[in-house]
């Protein structure tokens, strides 16, 4: 029985991963959540892990009370996440926490030599060079959970990486596809939280609306598959049926299709290389009838361009863009800034926050902090 530890177990990816665990009878060794103690305690009672971690320390006592009759170690904060990531009691760590906070646990898991199912894209965006270098040195496998990267990973099976001409990264276009900047001036968080195809957490849903999600995925693809930015083509595909594809030297294009359900890529990452029945539904192409493909609108969705500019420049620039975006998105969700200001703040941070080389984790952390501080300052000035 394969053993799994899950960081972010109460989120959208975490709960769907537990559906996969239920289906295949995997053993859960540890669970971690940000602040949802009720759900975390219920999960702990169901799966009997060795340890649970609540990231928010103010919730630790409540968790202790809920689990006082269980023999489960209770951890908290970044130390707790890292203790779980460093433990050797699981075969694979699913990292599905939201944001840059996922980077250090990823590095700890690599240090411990544990394979990772990676759903935390900010890990690779902010610290891609460190993560990929350390993983290669330790012989650690990183299985992408993001649907697009899973599709690319699946399309690479049986083929040689050095025969890739390019990858085609598909984008749904988000809830504001076809809109102009004028249309988007008065958008509120509630409007942006309605995604047409995917059911996801708040941060990623806003990132999908600004197309920053695709920008982050562009950077993620660069690191995961060792590509030059010029080898990645973003294509808007409204139906989210083709999850991405790879074009080879002979111009053969191999892609992966399926219904838009994260359980397929989650299961592939957890059970690789096995293909067994997944708790989802089959794809009916005739129900869709037509699949469409278009170029993205870079002018309306400047976040996308920012991310591509950042990885083209390299160094700490992607960490700055990521940090600025995280800060801006939380402020948008809190109704403190407008929708278009997210991209303006990210572009501002991109231009004004000092960059440099990525030598170690602390460099990334500093760049991230500086970008967030820049965004907060701009918002306070208003
Ligand atoms: Mg994705």
């Amino acid at each position: 029985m394969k053993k799994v530890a899950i960081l972010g177990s109460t989120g959208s990816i975490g709960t769907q991963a537990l559906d996969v665990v239920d289906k295949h009878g995997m053993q859960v060794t540890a669970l971690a959540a940000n602040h949802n103690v009720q759900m975390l305690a219920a999960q702990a009672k169901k799966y009997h892990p060795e340890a649970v971690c609540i990231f928010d320390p103010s919730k630790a006592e409540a968790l202790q009370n809920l689990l006082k009759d269980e023999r489960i170690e209770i951890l908290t904060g970044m130390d707790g996440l890292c203790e779980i990531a460093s433990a050797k009691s699981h075969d694979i760590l699913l990292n599905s926490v939201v944001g840059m906070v996922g980077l250090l646990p990823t590095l700890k898991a690599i240090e411990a030599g544990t394979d990772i199912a990676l759903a935390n894209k900010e890990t690779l965006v902010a610290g891609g060079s460190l993560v990929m270098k350390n993983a290669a040195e330790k012989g650690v496998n990183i299985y992408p959970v993001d649907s697009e990267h899973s599709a690319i990973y699946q399309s690479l099976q049986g083929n040689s990486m050095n025969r890739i001409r390019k990858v085609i990264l598909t984008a749904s276009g988000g809830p504001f596809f076809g809109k102009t900047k004028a249309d988007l001036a008065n958008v509120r968080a509630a409007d942006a939280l309605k995604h047409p195809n995917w059911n996801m957490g708040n941060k990623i849903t806003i990132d999908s609306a600004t197309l920053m999600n695709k920008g982050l995925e562009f950077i993620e693809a660069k690191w995961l598959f060792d590509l030059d930015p010029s080898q990645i083509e973003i294509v808007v595909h409204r139906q989210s049926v083709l999850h991405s594809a790879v074009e080879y030297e002979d111009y053969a294009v191999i892609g992966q299709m399926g219904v838009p359900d994260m359980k397929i890529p989650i299961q592939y990452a957890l059970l690789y290389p096995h293909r067994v029945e997944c708790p989802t539904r089959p794809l009916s192409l005739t129900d869709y009838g037509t699949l469409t493909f278009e170029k993205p609108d870079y002018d309306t969705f400047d976040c996308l361009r920012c991310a591509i500019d950042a990885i083209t420049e390299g160094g700490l620039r992607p960490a700055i863009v990521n940090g600025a975006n995280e800060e801006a998105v939380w402020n948008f969700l809190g109704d403190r800034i407008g929708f278009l200001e997210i991209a303006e703040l990210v572009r501002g941070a991109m231009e004004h926050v000092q960059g440099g080389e990525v030598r170690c984790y602390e460099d990334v952390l500093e760049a991230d902090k500086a970008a967030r501080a820049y965004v907060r300052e701009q918002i306070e000035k208003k």
Side-chain angles (χ1 to χ4, degrees):
M1 203 193 307
K2 208 167 178 183
K3 295 176 183 167
V4 61
I6 303 177
L7 306 184
S9 65
T10 58
S12 170
I13 297 291
T15 52
Q16 294 183 79
L18 288 170
D19 291 341
V20 170
V21 162
D22 289 343
K23 171 90 183 173
H24 301 292
M26 298 172 79
Q27 189 181 334
V28 177
T29 61
L31 295 165
N34 183 13
H35 60 263
N36 191 340
V37 268
Q38 295 294 340
M39 196 194 284
L40 181 61
Q43 290 176 343
K45 285 178 182 169
K46 178 172 176 188
Y47 296 99
H48 308 288
E50 294 161 14
V52 291
C53 172
I54 188 82
F55 187 73
D56 179 348
S58 72
K59 303 278 170 72
E61 205 184 316
L63 184 62
Q64 229 137 24
N65 287 335
L66 288 165
L67 294 178
K68 62 180 182 309
D69 299 329
E70 310 283 322
R71 283 188 14 214
I72 299 173
E73 187 183 2
I74 294 176
L75 306 166
T76 184
M78 181 57 95
D79 289 347
L81 291 184
C82 289
E83 193 172 328
I84 290 174
S86 305
K88 306 225 179 200
S89 47
H90 48 268
D91 304 304
I92 190 161
L93 176 80
L94 170 60
N95 185 351
S96 56
V97 305
V98 177
M100 157 77 187
V101 76
L103 176 57
L104 194 57
T106 297
L107 293 171
K108 293 290 178 190
I110 293 170
E111 222 172 274
T114 307
D115 287 346
I116 302 168
L118 189 63
N120 173 246
K121 64 188 71 181
E122 293 89 345
T123 279
L124 284 173
V125 172
S129 58
L130 290 178
V131 170
M132 296 315 288
K133 182 167 80 67
N134 296 1
E137 279 169 15
K138 283 280 186 177
V140 164
N141 294 305
I142 296 184
Y143 300 109
V145 171
D146 215 340
S147 61
E148 295 79 359
H149 306 78
S150 175
I152 294 166
Y153 199 84
Q154 294 181 56
S155 304
L156 287 168
Q157 299 304 309
N159 291 293
S160 169
M161 290 286 286
N162 60 9
R163 291 287 174 250
I164 299 178
R165 193 177 284 275
K166 70 175 180 193
V167 305
I168 298 165
L169 188 67
T170 53
S172 73
F176 303 137
F177 174 75
K179 301 277 191 224
T180 63
K181 277 195 176 170
D183 297 331
L184 298 175
N186 297 315
V187 161
R188 310 301 291 238
D191 310 313
L193 287 172
K194 292 178 203 132
H195 194 280
N197 300 343
W198 296 97
N199 192 356
M200 308 175 287
N202 285 356
K203 159 77 169 41
I204 185 172
T205 303
I206 302 306
D207 285 344
S208 297
T210 62
L211 295 202
M212 178 52 99
N213 184 53
K214 210 49 56 180
L216 301 179
E217 290 181 354
F218 185 102
I219 299 172
E220 191 184 3
K222 181 255 172 320
W223 290 117
L224 276 173
F225 307 113
D226 192 23
L227 300 167
D228 186 85
S230 64
Q231 288 178 288
I232 307 170
E233 181 187 10
I234 298 174
V235 173
V236 175
H237 165 48
R238 295 293 287 156
Q239 298 79 21
S240 301
V241 167
L242 174 66
H243 297 299
S244 280
V246 178
E247 181 187 275
Y248 289 93
E249 289 288 349
D250 59 357
Y251 295 108
V253 175
I254 300 181
Q256 182 250 325
M257 299 208 266
V259 291
D261 184 332
M262 286 306 294
K263 287 194 279 292
I264 298 173
I266 291 168
Q267 176 172 303
Y268 192 74
L270 291 180
L271 299 183
Y272 177 88
H274 303 291
R275 288 200 184 272
V276 287
E277 196 179 346
C278 182
T280 182
R281 57 198 194 282
L283 170 66
S284 166
L285 281 172
T286 51
D287 282 354
Y288 281 91
T290 306
L291 300 181
T292 58
F293 300 95
E294 296 161 75
K295 289 196 165 89
D297 174 357
Y298 291 96
D299 295 325
T300 303
F301 301 96
D302 192 45
C303 278
L304 181 56
R305 178 99 65 195
C306 275
I308 296 171
D309 289 350
I311 190 62
T312 304
E313 186 183 326
L316 289 166
R317 202 55 65 193
I320 291 167
V321 160
N322 182 66
N325 179 62
E326 276 191 39
E327 194 66 35
V329 168
W330 298 128
N331 277 286
F332 173 68
L333 285 168
D335 272 331
R336 288 180 290 276
I337 61 170
F339 184 77
L340 295 175
E341 281 174 272
I342 300 174
E344 288 162 19
L345 289 162
V346 171
R347 177 61 73 185
M350 166 99 189
E351 285 168 4
H352 294 107
V353 177
Q354 165 125 31
E357 299 270 294
V358 180
R359 291 157 307 182
C360 58
Y361 170 69
E362 285 69 26
D363 289 341
V364 178
L365 199 63
E366 282 308 309
D368 176 75
K369 273 191 193 151
R372 287 167 195 267
Y374 170 86
V375 167
R376 281 195 300 267
E377 256 168 51
Q378 299 304 308
I379 294 171
E380 276 160 24
K381 266 193 212 165
K382 283 202 305 171

